[in-house]
Amino acid sequence: MRKALLVVLFSTFVFSSCTRSAEPYTETELRMDTVCSITVYDEDDRTLISGAFDIIDDVVKLIDIYDSSSEIYHLNENASKESVSVSPELFALIRRAYDMSVLTDGAFNIAIGPLVELWGIGNGGETVPSAEEIEKTLLLTDYNNIILDEENRSVLFLKEGMKIDLGALGKGYAADRIAEYFRENGVESAIINLGGNVYMLGSHPEGREWTVGLQSPDTERGGYFATVACSDSSVVTSGGYERYFETEDGNIYHHILSSKTGYPASSDIVSSSIISRDSTLADMLSTATFVLGSKKGEEIVNQFSLQAVFLLENGDVKRIGI
Ligand code: ADP
Ligand code: MG
């Protein structure tokens, strides 16, 4: 019926070199449906990297909506029936995602779960839903129908079938947690590359800034359209070319959805990269700006006093704060 395909690529490259004073050590594993590659410099304790992968596993156990043993799965199954108390960690993430939903007027939408499930992009079941199905599902994606109780750390859905999806901040959050763990353990330079989320911890071992290349959507892996220099910061990219499927008639449907239309979001941005020491924030904002487009996207990036690079549909590269 369709030429279904799933593309998971690195969106970002870090240019690094090794020197005698700082031998890098890298491990690469598949996690969170993507290639995760972690490099530490000048650090003999190799168990630190396995500790980092354990942190990714912990984050998956917290927020993977498809894993029936995850905390969010339990929440989504039950919060329409009664308010559900969650761990402080999950509640804090939900709070942040809820606030971002309000701030972006739903461009970033914490309640997008039922629509993500309907489209199934990146989860094997890619089909174009009917207009009726979309309309019905959109009734379940209003974040105002999520009630958060700070005191009891509980969550209640006002409609049966609602689901919280934290997929748009998961990799950023995992990167933040790993960066924190590395800092606590004395690591001075590291690259935490979780698919399109890259965290450059500290400065480059040669004492300069890191250079990160942003991958061109159209070229083979290795081609990039811009570079960004930074230190102790993450660069998080969202693009419609990362996960998508194509129908026989050649239409492409990607995985960042608009809860205004019910269809994959379409703006003048092809790829949005946000630079921030707070990778969770950068992850939320890369998704939000991709949905909002360059004008509103720029406003919101400025609101947080961050740097960003947008690749626009017409081929222009818009740099903000750089
Ligand atoms: P990726 O995780 O592929 O790098 P994003 O950070 O942009 O890309 O997150 C996309 C994921 O977030 C989707 O797979 C889906 O689970 C969820 N999502 C899709 N659209 C939205 C949206 N408008 N707001 C919040 N989350 C979304
Ligand atoms: Mg994101």
Side-chain angles (χ1 to χ4, degrees):
M1 212 318 243
R2 62 178 191 271
K3 280 193 277 169
L5 66 137
L6 169 66
V7 182
V8 182
L9 295 173
F10 284 114
S11 311
T12 322
F13 302 91
V14 183
F15 301 96
S16 57
S17 60
C18 74
T19 63
R20 224 176 296 143
S21 63
E23 281 299 324
Y25 174 65
T26 303
E27 271 182 33
T28 301
E29 290 184 24
L30 267 179
R31 293 288 156 87
M32 299 179 128
D33 290 335
T34 193
V35 181
C36 297
S37 176
I38 301 177
T39 302
V40 293
Y41 289 81
D42 226 5
E43 185 55 62
D44 293 333
D45 184 0
R46 299 197 165 180
T47 59
L48 277 176
I49 290 199
S50 67
F53 282 105
D54 290 346
I55 288 175
I56 300 177
D57 293 339
D58 286 351
V59 171
V60 168
K61 278 276 165 261
L62 198 67
I63 64 164
D64 184 346
I65 55 169
Y66 301 108
D67 179 344
S68 61
S69 66
S70 75
E71 197 179 354
I72 195 114
Y73 187 94
H74 176 258
L75 170 70
N76 282 337
E77 285 295 295
N78 295 292
S80 309
K81 297 172 216 144
E82 57 186 355
S83 77
V84 177
S85 286
V86 297
S87 63
E89 189 178 9
L90 183 58
F91 193 82
L93 273 181
I94 290 174
R95 178 84 255 169
R96 292 192 75 182
Y98 182 92
D99 291 348
M100 184 56 77
S101 306
V102 174
L103 184 76
T104 61
D105 193 24
F108 177 99
N109 188 347
I110 183 179
I112 204 141
L115 195 64
V116 170
E117 203 170 75
L118 180 68
W119 279 90
I121 299 170
N123 197 38
E126 294 97 349
T127 45
V128 180
S130 68
E132 294 76 43
E133 282 174 306
I134 287 176
E135 212 175 307
K136 224 171 82 190
T137 305
L138 283 179
L139 299 174
L140 302 175
T141 60
D142 184 350
Y143 55 86
N144 292 302
N145 289 331
I146 298 175
I147 308 300
L148 301 183
D149 177 345
E150 301 282 338
E151 218 167 286
N152 298 308
R153 287 197 320 266
S154 67
V155 182
L156 175 69
F157 300 155
L158 296 183
K159 282 197 176 171
E160 176 85 46
M162 290 182 68
K163 280 184 179 167
I164 286 178
D165 182 346
L166 300 175
L169 61 75
K171 286 186 253 163
Y173 179 65
D176 277 337
R177 285 227 11 220
I178 294 169
E180 190 187 312
Y181 162 76
F182 280 168
R183 285 189 189 106
E184 280 168 9
N185 284 282
V187 176
E188 287 179 2
S189 296
I191 303 169
I192 304 153
N193 189 341
L194 314 180
N197 277 61
V198 188
Y199 205 118
M200 271 67 54
L201 185 81
S203 54
H204 192 282
E206 288 169 6
R208 54 182 168 82
E209 289 193 299
W210 305 95
T211 306
V212 180
L214 306 178
Q215 184 200 295
S216 302
D218 305 333
T219 53
E220 297 276 294
R221 189 181 291 194
Y224 53 94
F225 66 89
T227 59
V228 177
C230 63
S231 52
D232 214 25
S233 203
S234 74
V235 180
V236 181
T237 301
S238 285
Y241 52 88
E242 286 181 326
R243 277 165 210 265
Y244 61 89
F245 70 97
E246 188 176 347
T247 51
E248 269 177 0
D249 51 10
N251 284 323
I252 286 176
Y253 298 91
H254 62 73
H255 73 310
I256 303 174
L257 304 171
S258 160
S259 50
K260 298 261 185 278
T261 65
Y263 285 83
S266 147
S267 75
D268 63 337
I269 296 182
V270 174
S271 157
S272 172
S273 300
I274 310 286
I275 298 119
S276 170
R277 195 169 194 265
D278 179 342
S279 194
T280 309
L281 175 64
D283 203 356
M284 290 194 286
L285 286 178
S286 68
T287 306
T289 50
F290 178 86
V291 176
L292 287 168
S294 62
K295 193 162 168 283
K296 284 193 182 153
E298 178 170 13
E299 282 169 22
I300 195 161
V301 169
N302 286 332
Q303 210 170 320
F304 285 93
S305 304
L306 293 178
Q307 298 179 321
V309 180
F310 298 156
L311 174 63
L312 304 184
E313 219 170 23
N314 65 7
D316 287 355
V317 177
K318 189 180 174 82
R319 290 171 177 269
I320 299 158
I322 305 174

